Amino acid sequence: MFENLTEKLQRAFKHLRGQGTLTEENIQEAMREIRVALLEADVNLNVVKELIDHIRDKAVGAEVMTALSPSEQVIKIVRDELIALLGKDTARFKFAPQPPTVILMAGLQGSGKTTTTGKLAAWLKKGGHRPILVSVDVYRPAAREQLKVVAKSIDAKIYEGDLKGEQPGSKLVERLANEARREARNFGFDTLIVDTAGRLHVDEELMTEMEQLKKLLNPQEILFVADAMTGQDAVNSAQDFHKRLGLTGVVLTKMDGDARGGAALSIRHVTGQPIKFIGTGEKPDAFEPFHPDRIVGRILG
Ligand code: GDP
């Protein structure tokens, strides 16, 4: 990811090398190249516009700086603006003052939600927590089975519950969620991660169910799992989920793939919610908190 963007940005900076000072003309030329590089990386159009405006304003105002060469000045400005776009600092993970902390995992089918639920549990365990997992996808037995396999692979506790042949629907979802929370309280698990049903598209039924779960569980974190490979679709669905649910953060998966990186660079700005973690592979440990400065360092090469 980002290889193309890195290459194009470097080309833009290179054109500034050998210039004595930043002039209106060479700034315009660099901005044009940076704009094209961002658009080709599939960054959201509004995000590109705003970013370029900020960079241009700063570059024009930076003319008097003499300690740095023109290309160094522009690189620094681009770095600062990209970091600001991604939210500056690593977003904190919120824990409940009184355990259990409840984490609701949201996302479309195939985004990596179940895998991420396991990764998050492994990350919490590493940090000294005692997570318990539950899948409330009562519509797809395979999904519940998958979480069981994931939990086993990281040696995490799962609350399976007994469906008792009950009709799949919101009543059953709420019963399972309630039971899992009780299990967490009774047996000293300090974090409950709820893997929810995914759909191929955002639909009313899914949103209503998520709203009900939010009301019932009052989660500290509602994390939207988005597949970075799907580009602007990931950004749009994150926005839809945020409007209905009020997300607390995003997990961008498949950052190890060959996506162009536009989703990673747009999602924070479009939803207003921070990327809290990224998934970088299929294995449980291919997961890390998102550090804006590190990603920008990688982009700028
Ligand atoms: P769900 O339907 O949203 O629960 O998605 P799954 O957790 O089943 O993941 C769908 C596919 O994406 C699986 O094959 C996962 O192994 C894969 N996957 C999930 N996260 C990542 C990631 O960060 N990188 C890569 N390469 N694959 C991932």
Side-chain angles (χ1 to χ4, degrees):
M1 192 176 282
F2 299 124
E3 289 87 0
N4 236 324
L5 178 59
T6 302
E7 197 188 311
K8 297 237 163 69
L9 287 177
Q10 281 178 349
R11 205 174 303 160
F13 301 143
K14 209 167 154 190
H15 288 163
L16 287 171
R17 267 186 218 132
Q19 309 276 354
T21 50
L22 280 179
T23 64
E24 191 81 37
E25 203 171 62
N26 58 36
I27 289 173
Q28 285 303 355
E29 176 61 16
M31 289 312 117
R32 202 186 58 76
E33 287 184 76
I34 295 171
R35 183 172 184 278
V36 171
L38 291 167
L39 287 174
E40 282 180 2
D42 192 32
V43 180
N44 176 284
L45 187 61
N46 291 328
V47 175
V48 174
K49 277 187 187 148
E50 214 166 293
L51 200 56
I52 292 292
D53 282 350
H54 286 174
I55 297 170
R56 182 189 291 115
D57 286 352
K58 286 205 174 157
V60 170
E63 271 175 282
V64 285
M65 276 175 65
T66 49
L68 298 175
S69 72
S71 67
E72 284 167 344
Q73 282 183 33
V74 173
I75 292 170
K76 184 181 180 313
I77 294 165
V78 171
R79 180 186 307 276
D80 291 348
E81 287 301 318
L82 283 176
I83 291 174
L85 176 71
L86 292 173
K88 267 205 172 112
D89 302 316
T90 303
R92 285 169 56 111
F93 191 81
K94 223 183 305 153
F95 289 99
Q98 194 74 12
T101 295
V102 178
I103 306 152
L104 204 54
M105 305 298 287
L108 299 178
Q109 204 169 307
S111 60
K113 193 159 41 62
T114 302
T115 309
T116 303
T117 301
K119 288 173 169 181
L120 185 59
W123 180 79
L124 286 165
K125 276 183 69 177
K126 242 171 98 181
H129 291 278
R130 289 193 74 211
I132 181 168
L133 315 180
V134 64
S135 167
V136 296
D137 189 347
V138 296
Y139 312 95
R140 286 193 314 139
R144 285 177 36 87
E145 192 55 38
Q146 188 192 348
L147 188 67
K148 224 164 102 177
V149 173
V150 165
K152 199 164 172 210
S153 75
I154 54 162
D155 195 22
K157 171 82 178 165
I158 184 166
Y159 178 75
E160 286 184 54
D162 183 352
L163 302 190
K164 295 177 187 161
E166 222 177 285
Q167 275 292 98
S170 58
K171 254 180 81 183
L172 179 55
V173 167
E174 293 197 4
R175 174 167 72 77
L176 273 182
N178 252 328
E179 287 172 3
R181 181 167 52 182
R182 194 178 319 136
E183 183 88 355
R185 281 197 187 125
N186 289 348
F187 295 96
F189 293 96
D190 64 0
T191 37
L192 169 65
I193 315 180
V194 184
D195 189 12
T196 61
R199 304 271 203 282
L200 292 174
H201 301 284
V202 176
D203 68 29
E204 188 52 37
E205 203 185 330
L206 169 66
M207 286 301 189
T208 307
E209 186 175 298
M210 292 299 299
E211 279 174 340
Q212 285 169 345
L213 277 170
K214 178 182 176 181
K215 211 165 141 201
L216 175 77
L217 295 172
N218 199 15
Q220 277 64 45
E221 292 278 358
I222 306 178
L223 298 178
F224 182 75
V225 179
D227 177 346
M229 299 290 287
T230 62
Q232 293 310 303
D233 283 346
V235 178
N236 294 335
S237 42
Q239 198 176 18
D240 290 343
F241 271 79
H242 181 56
K243 275 187 197 144
R244 282 293 286 269
L245 287 176
L247 303 174
T248 61
V250 175
V251 183
L252 259 191
T253 63
K254 310 187 195 178
M255 290 287 281
D256 51 312
D258 59 1
R260 288 174 289 166
L265 288 175
S266 314
I267 215 159
R268 159 86 204 216
H269 187 81
V270 173
T271 64
Q273 296 309 303
I275 300 173
K276 290 201 168 168
F277 298 94
I278 54 173
T280 55
E282 298 192 65
K283 301 240 163 65
D285 61 352
F287 181 76
E288 55 191 79
F290 180 69
H291 298 288
D293 52 340
R294 285 190 209 164
I295 289 285
V296 172
R298 260 179 52 197
I299 293 172
L300 293 180

